[in-house]
Amino acid sequence: MWFPKASLLWSILLYLPVIINAQQSLETLMLRHTDVLSEFLELVRSSPFVNASLPWRSLTLFAPTNTAIREYVQTRGKIDNYTVTYHLANVAKTVAELEEFISTELSGNPPIWVTRTANNEIFLNDAKIDLRNDFHGKNDRGMDQVLHIIDRVLEPTVPESSDSNLINPDAKKFLERSSAYNITGPHSITMFASKAKTLNKMDMFRTIGRHTFFIPVDEAFKRIQLNTVDAKVIDGHVIPNHVIFLRPSELKRQYETAAFSSSLPVFVEFDRPETNDGRWIVRSDTRSADGDAFHRKGVVQTEVVRGNIPVKNGVVHLISKPLVVIDSTVYDTMANEKENGPTYEFYRLIKDYASEEVKDLLTKPGSDGITVFVPSNEALRTPTLNIIKSNATQLNEILRLHIVMRTVTSDNITETNERSPFQIQTALKNKKLFFNYINTEGRKTLYVEGGGVNATITQPDVGAINGVIHMIDRILGYADQDIYEKLKTDPMLQMTFRLTSQDDFNKQFQDINKRFTLFAPSNVAWEKIYRIAPSEYKKLTMGSFGYHVSRIIQRHTIVNRVYTIEQMRELSTNASEQAYPIQAVHGLLKVVHKEDVDWKGRDRFYRQYGTSPNNVEGQRPDFSQAFDYTVTWANERAQVVRPNIICTNGIIHIIDTVLMKPDDVTVAYTASSPASMPSPGISSVYVIPSFSLLLIFSNIFTGLL
């Protein structure tokens, strides 16, 4: 193939993978890269200005791949000469030399914005540079020329008219004259523009610098009253001093908005649905408010309907509804989501299958408000849901388990901790939700457990005028994990899982042909051992003495019987010799409810075992704050902090103290198979107690907690 002289040097630059090598033939270069860049080459050859610039100027070209061009043509239409020219800059910039923006040769010199991510990626607007190929050469005049391969077409913001005043608009001009930039129909933004003008907030959109602007489309105001948008709300739609395109955005990083102040701290973050279907979500998070009806505390979640619109002073994203504004009830917030919106499947489940009583709970909550835990669309599209739908009674019980008849925010959850986890009654009688969180590098991950299912709260505090919504990643109340998986995934049980992994002892909890009742020590329970007996704790964690842990956990385990905590209490108080007490693998267990202890006994009990560290002799503790159940073995006691975690092969009750004796860590091991759970009542370990340790441990455990 032969190219005109003006295009020959360009062709060499285009196909060059490294610094130009005169020994490399044109044929080799074309064969190596024709499948990648041939379509952009044709666009350049058809552009008089770009084609003529190659032999005469120092320049940088940003070349979309063939795939990128085909995708653009399929979704956006023909690539015009304005778009091609937007890919040309009149200075040569290697990757290392790229700064925050680079001016292009398009009329008005609109910028291309440069973003460097934490993963060492470089984006030009929303297009990523292929860092494997940084082509640098010189033309016949010895001028530097650079070519960067990118994975998307760069789309400029150009007017449809020839009005020179509309070239290279800032966000203000774009907002005022949006129809001139083909922002019409479902993407029309005239109502927000009118409101900003009425409130004298237009100047914010022409501020010089690097900013990100969110503009809700007109369709949003069919559901939300325009008068809810005031000056502070408009400020909440601007992130100053950051140009954030979608793909290079740092997910869930919270940026201060222009509305941010001590009285109204408003943040905005970007996120993507788990389905990774190309949609982008933007959230505003108002941490506190002045108390007026328009600036409620809570999260507002919206979807980007058209993003990455470059302007002179940053980037514009069009969104499906306003940020900051909270003016709907919990039920209406769910109902107003479009198909594939985050609450869509749960709302449809309620609408089509819930009883009238459950619907009334949601639509007519009491004065204390309401909290709803909404499983993700992905969780609700599993075969599990079809099984639940077939049983109306079970379905409505599960729905009630997701409802709390008062407002519960993430602050309520994080005010407590694993030593005293937050718990609350649900709309399902006698069923509670239990909460926990993990703090990792300043970011808190929240968990909720209900009916044996531990779910991650993927998005807390979605605001409503009468309560709050928390998005979760699983359906509560429908057990789909065996005990092994539960130990592995529950954040409160990580130490028990780690310790019982020695000698693969915990693998037996995967057996679906057996049934277990397990009193599982929490992380806090093991921490107590570490505090009072660090050398013994070290032995338990070494890996060489797994049989110590095996024997201890066997004492916490009932094999081939599944007991709820209520059943355990009933059996423990039953006068029948056959029923009381309950036989574990090693020893006898007894469960006591706090109401089973008289006031004199309660005082004595809670001075020794109460949750409050301030309980003192002669002072009656606040009994209402104690956990409901206590399990005893020999003379050892543990409080049940989370009962009735249902699993596919049994049940777990989480306790705050390890039921162990001082001689459990000073043993001579004689059994042949410690990893196998023996039959109840048959001991395979013989102990050689240390009298001094026995005295020490007796004193320590007497005052534990």
Side-chain angles (χ1 to χ4, degrees):
M1 182 179 294
W2 180 254
F3 294 96
K5 184 177 179 180
S7 299
L8 179 57
L9 184 57
W10 154 240
S11 302
I12 295 173
L13 284 171
L14 184 64
Y15 297 125
L16 212 56
V18 290
I19 295 178
I20 290 181
N21 183 345
Q23 303 298 319
Q24 204 166 32
S25 71
L26 179 61
E27 182 180 4
T28 301
L29 295 173
M30 288 190 297
L31 288 172
R32 180 173 297 176
H33 293 289
T34 188
D35 290 339
V36 179
L37 299 174
S38 60
E39 295 194 22
F40 186 68
L41 174 60
E42 291 301 317
L43 289 171
V44 169
R45 293 172 65 192
S46 65
S47 172
F49 179 79
V50 178
N51 194 49
S53 298
L54 292 172
W56 298 98
R57 306 177 65 181
S58 180
L59 54 82
T60 302
L61 271 169
F62 306 104
T65 63
N66 293 342
T67 300
I69 290 174
R70 292 166 190 163
E71 289 177 351
Y72 182 91
V73 171
Q74 184 176 3
T75 58
R76 305 288 293 161
K78 183 180 178 181
I79 297 177
D80 57 27
N81 189 54
Y82 294 110
T83 302
V84 177
T85 308
Y86 189 55
H87 290 74
L88 174 67
N90 66 0
V91 291
K93 293 285 188 179
T94 64
V95 165
E97 295 169 333
L98 289 172
E99 298 174 343
E100 292 182 344
F101 69 91
I102 185 168
S103 296
T104 67
E105 286 296 270
L106 184 59
S107 296
N109 306 118
I112 294 173
W113 298 99
V114 180
T115 305
R116 297 177 184 269
T117 71
N119 297 326
N120 297 317
E121 297 173 324
I122 300 178
F123 285 82
L124 306 171
N125 293 355
D126 207 49
K128 185 166 66 172
I129 295 179
D130 184 349
L131 296 178
R132 298 169 299 178
N133 300 291
D134 187 9
F135 305 159
H136 183 200
K138 295 180 183 293
N139 63 10
D140 287 340
R141 295 175 173 269
M143 295 179 173
D144 289 332
Q145 296 185 331
V146 177
L147 176 73
H148 299 294
I149 297 178
I150 56 178
D151 67 350
R152 289 194 176 181
V153 174
L154 300 171
E155 185 174 12
T157 303
V158 294
E160 293 188 325
S161 71
S162 58
D163 187 347
S164 60
N165 290 323
L166 298 178
I167 295 173
N168 192 17
D170 56 22
K172 177 178 182 288
K173 187 170 293 184
F174 175 83
L175 187 56
E176 289 177 326
R177 303 290 300 276
S178 58
S179 61
Y181 301 97
N182 197 30
I183 305 299
T184 57
H187 293 158
S188 176
I189 53 175
T190 58
M191 297 182 73
F192 187 80
S194 174
K195 190 67 174 179
K197 186 175 182 179
T198 300
L199 296 170
N200 297 316
K201 297 299 293 185
M202 273 297 192
D203 284 348
M204 170 173 290
F205 294 90
R206 71 173 182 183
T207 305
I208 297 173
R210 308 172 65 253
H211 316 294
T212 300
F213 306 93
F214 303 98
I215 302 177
V217 296
D218 291 348
E219 187 179 350
F221 298 103
K222 294 179 181 178
R223 302 185 305 272
I224 296 175
Q225 295 182 8
L226 187 59
N227 62 9
T228 60
V229 176
D230 61 10
K232 291 181 180 179
V233 170
I234 290 178
D235 289 346
H237 286 74
V238 180
I239 301 176
N241 306 316
H242 294 278
V243 175
I244 309 170
F245 285 81
L246 295 176
R247 290 175 71 205
S249 64
E250 185 178 343
L251 300 185
K252 295 190 177 182
R253 173 183 170 181
Q254 293 201 317
Y255 295 89
E256 292 183 3
T257 68
F260 189 90
S261 67
S262 58
S263 60
L264 190 69
V266 180
F267 300 85
V268 166
E269 67 180 24
F270 293 82
D271 200 5
R272 301 194 70 176
E274 292 181 2
T275 51
N276 197 23
D277 55 5
R279 292 183 297 131
W280 285 86
I281 292 170
V282 177
R283 300 187 187 96
S284 66
D285 184 357
T286 304
R287 298 288 179 82
S288 62
D290 296 329
D292 61 84
F294 298 152
H295 306 129
R296 295 174 180 271
K297 179 179 179 180
V299 171
V300 174
Q301 186 163 280
T302 184
E303 187 175 326
V304 177
V305 297
R306 182 173 173 182
N308 304 318
I309 302 171
V311 289
K312 186 177 182 178
N313 56 344
V315 63
V316 172
H317 303 291
L318 307 187
I319 55 178
S320 61
K321 67 180 181 183
L323 300 169
V324 185
V325 175
I326 297 174
D327 72 340
S328 300
T329 66
V330 165
Y331 186 79
D332 288 339
T333 299
M334 293 190 294
N336 288 338
E337 287 290 352
K338 295 182 179 180
E339 187 171 355
N340 292 326
T343 64
Y344 174 76
E345 290 289 347
F346 191 71
Y347 167 73
R348 196 172 69 167
L349 179 66
I350 292 169
K351 179 175 177 291
D352 295 342
Y353 293 94
S355 67
E356 292 302 318
E357 290 81 0
V358 169
K359 290 179 181 177
D360 283 346
L361 291 176
L362 293 167
T363 56
K364 305 171 185 177
S367 58
D368 292 333
I370 187 171
T371 301
V372 182
F373 295 84
V374 178
S376 67
N377 293 333
E378 292 71 35
L380 291 165
R381 288 169 181 158
T382 63
T384 299
L385 185 60
N386 293 328
I387 299 172
I388 297 173
K389 286 178 181 177
S390 64
N391 186 325
T393 299
Q394 182 187 27
L395 172 64
N396 283 284
E397 288 180 351
I398 287 176
L399 290 175
R400 285 176 177 270
L401 190 63
H402 290 76
I403 301 170
V404 172
M405 301 312 296
R406 53 162 279 195
T407 300
V408 178
T409 68
S410 59
D411 288 342
N412 299 132
I413 298 171
T414 57
E415 283 170 359
T416 56
N417 55 43
E418 191 174 303
R419 299 179 186 280
S420 180
F422 181 70
Q423 54 184 292
I424 193 165
Q425 177 63 44
T426 69
L428 181 60
K429 186 178 180 181
N430 296 327
K431 294 295 181 181
K432 293 183 178 181
L433 297 180
F434 299 85
F435 299 87
N436 192 23
Y437 70 93
I438 294 176
N439 196 335
T440 305
E441 297 181 353
R443 183 179 290 274
K444 293 177 180 178
T445 303
L446 309 180
Y447 301 91
V448 56
E449 186 269 308
V453 174
N454 193 70
T456 301
I457 300 178
T458 56
Q459 177 54 56
D461 301 328
V462 177
I465 60 176
N466 64 341
V468 68
I469 295 170
H470 300 293
M471 303 300 304
I472 58 178
D473 64 351
R474 301 178 66 194
I475 303 172
L476 303 177
Y478 192 86
D480 58 358
Q481 290 181 306
D482 57 36
I483 290 179
Y484 175 88
E485 281 297 317
K486 186 64 177 175
L487 294 175
K488 183 178 180 180
T489 58
D490 195 297
M492 287 186 72
L493 298 174
Q494 294 307 289
M495 277 303 300
T496 291
F497 179 77
R498 174 188 163 195
L499 292 173
T500 58
S501 294
Q502 300 173 94
D503 300 329
D504 290 332
F505 174 78
N506 56 24
K507 289 293 181 68
Q508 62 200 299
F509 293 124
Q510 293 177 307
D511 190 343
I512 61 173
N513 296 315
K514 287 186 178 180
R515 295 292 180 266
F516 304 93
T517 300
L518 175 63
F519 286 87
S522 67
N523 300 331
V524 169
W526 295 108
E527 288 173 10
K528 292 177 183 177
I529 304 301
Y530 173 75
R531 291 199 308 272
I532 65 174
S535 60
E536 283 71 23
Y537 176 86
K538 181 178 180 180
K539 183 177 291 186
L540 292 174
T541 61
M542 285 178 62
S544 302
F545 303 95
Y547 54 84
H548 295 314
V549 178
S550 302
R551 181 171 177 81
I552 292 169
I553 295 302
Q554 286 171 353
R555 181 180 306 136
H556 293 69
T557 308
I558 302 169
V559 181
N560 293 328
R561 293 288 188 275
V562 177
Y563 294 122
T564 66
I565 202 70
E566 293 81 10
Q567 291 170 330
M568 295 276 290
R569 175 198 183 189
E570 183 178 354
L571 290 172
S572 297
T573 56
N574 194 313
S576 169
E577 291 296 329
Q578 291 83 5
Y580 168 79
I582 300 120
Q583 180 70 57
V585 175
H586 291 305
L588 304 175
L589 300 173
K590 180 180 179 181
V591 170
V592 178
H593 191 275
K594 63 183 181 181
E595 294 178 355
D596 299 333
V597 184
D598 60 26
W599 276 110
K600 183 177 180 180
R602 292 180 188 181
D603 286 343
R604 183 174 61 253
F605 178 79
Y606 280 98
R607 280 197 300 273
Q608 185 172 357
Y609 302 107
T611 58
S612 172
N614 299 317
N615 288 342
V616 294
E617 186 75 24
Q619 178 180 341
R620 175 170 291 176
D622 182 1
F623 197 82
S624 64
Q625 299 302 314
F627 295 106
D628 289 342
Y629 293 93
T630 300
V631 59
T632 64
W633 169 82
N635 293 321
E636 308 304 333
R637 297 174 183 266
Q639 293 194 86
V640 181
V641 296
R642 280 172 56 193
N644 298 337
I645 302 173
I646 309 299
C647 302
T648 55
N649 60 346
I651 193 167
I652 296 174
H653 310 293
I654 299 180
I655 55 178
D656 69 347
T657 303
V658 183
L659 301 174
M660 62 178 288
K661 281 184 167 296
D663 53 18
D664 285 331
V665 288
T666 56
V667 302
Y669 187 70
T670 60
S672 59
S673 180
S676 177
M677 187 81 75
S679 300
I682 301 177
S683 175
S684 59
V685 179
Y686 299 90
V687 300
I688 304 174
S690 165
F691 182 71
S692 59
L693 277 177
L694 182 61
L695 290 176
I696 294 171
F697 269 72
S698 296
N699 290 331
I700 290 173
F701 275 88
T702 299
L704 197 59
L705 286 176

